[in-house]
Amino acid sequence: MSNFIRSAKQIIEFTGEGAAFHFSAPVEDRDELLSNIGFEIPLIDGDDLIPKSIGKFTNFNANGKEVVREDLPKETVHKMVWGTTRDWHGNQHSQLQNRKFFMYPREWIDAPEEALRVTTIGSDKFITSKQLISSNSNSKEIVHLANMFLEIFGEYSLINKNLKSILPPVIKKLNWKILPPGEHPFGDIQKFIHYITENLSNSEKRVAGYRLSSILSHKPDFIAIGNGGFHGYTVMGFQKKNLYVLESPIFGNATYIFKGEWELVSKLSKKDIIRSSLHTHRLIHSKGWRTDLRRILD
């Protein structure tokens, strides 16, 4: 089964209305694929993560999507860009610029953030979805998860809820990787920035690199980088000040600063992090961004 689906009708008919089930796929000979979406190899029963974006459906699942609202009036938006200008002698100069754009508003559709789990059934390991109820009211959720499995594995199976090993009691979250504490050499920092920005355009890489370098210049004593569906998210902690700076090119219009324990932030979903107003500061990426950052961190 390799084509994407548009309707949950056949799945509902196959499982029966109101039945509980899971999507699953075998893991045998798929170490490279599983590593690419964020799992650690060797797999451990109960490991759980939001898969890293590898296509249309996993990208929506991890990051959400924008809808252009052409039915609304245009508005002014400020953005950081890497641009080129010419001086009086005709020489080109490339630098970070702040520009105004007149554009239609964007409406953000939240990411579903569906997680995949390593589950042992008998003597074999599988990747499984959460438990679903077969119903027309859940059709969008069913179609989304089916297409995620097809995009990643090219197949899926439907597993009955009565397989007891389908829901292991211990879940190890893999959404964040914590870098060792202490000073990080310049070369390591450059590799780190390259990893975070690898999927961006050259212009976006320069802008995101500038912001990350600006935050890192304040020498955080704690760095966590997003894994799986959190790829591109970075938390830099200043523990003595009890401040944690969240930077992400996905939500590219602001930097979020939290007070409190890192564990609190790490347990939140991306929707909660961005939309629950739990942040202490929200710094818009405009001309005064670096000054505001320095004022708060210094």
Side-chain angles (χ1 to χ4, degrees), residues 139-166:
S139 60
K140 286 186 179 179
E141 191 175 37
I142 293 170
V143 169
H144 171 64
L145 274 164
N147 285 330
M148 267 183 56
F149 270 78
L150 292 173
E151 183 170 272
I152 297 169
F153 303 106
E155 63 174 316
Y156 63 73
S157 297
L158 304 177
I159 299 181
N160 189 289
K161 70 171 184 177
N162 293 326
L163 293 177
K164 293 182 181 180
S165 60
I166 200 68

Side-chain angles (χ1 to χ4, degrees), residues 25-28 34 42-46 117-128:
V27 303
E28 188 176 1
L34 293 169
L43 297 172
I44 298 174
D45 192 49
R117 181 179 300 173
V118 179
T119 303
T120 299
I121 302 175
S123 59
D124 297 316
K125 285 186 172 64
F126 294 80
I127 298 299
T128 62

Side-chain angles (χ1 to χ4, degrees), residues 51-116:
K52 182 179 176 180
S53 169
I54 61 170
K56 174 182 176 181
F57 297 103
T58 46
N59 185 61
F60 170 55
N61 185 68
N63 300 317
K65 62 183 178 182
E66 279 186 341
V67 175
V68 179
R69 294 292 304 274
E70 295 186 359
D71 56 315
L72 298 177
K74 289 185 176 181
E75 59 186 15
T76 301
V77 177
H78 296 269
K79 287 188 176 182
M80 286 183 179
V81 299
W82 194 266
T84 301
T85 57
R86 292 182 181 272
D87 60 23
W88 292 100
H89 303 288
N91 299 315
Q92 290 187 340
H93 300 276
S94 296
Q95 60 186 351
L96 191 71
Q97 300 175 357
N98 290 281
R99 292 183 181 174
K100 292 182 180 180
F101 294 86
F102 196 51
M103 56 198 302
Y104 288 111
R106 267 60 174 166
E107 180 180 346
W108 189 260
I109 299 179
D110 286 333
E113 296 184 338
E114 297 288 357
L116 303 181

Side-chain angles (χ1 to χ4, degrees), residues 26-43 52 54 152-153:
V27 303
E28 188 176 1
D29 298 326
R30 282 173 165 162
D31 283 1
E32 183 177 358
L33 171 63
L34 293 169
S35 178
N36 286 341
I37 62 172
F39 280 103
E40 294 178 356
I41 306 298
L43 297 172
K52 182 179 176 180
I54 61 170
I152 297 169
F153 303 106

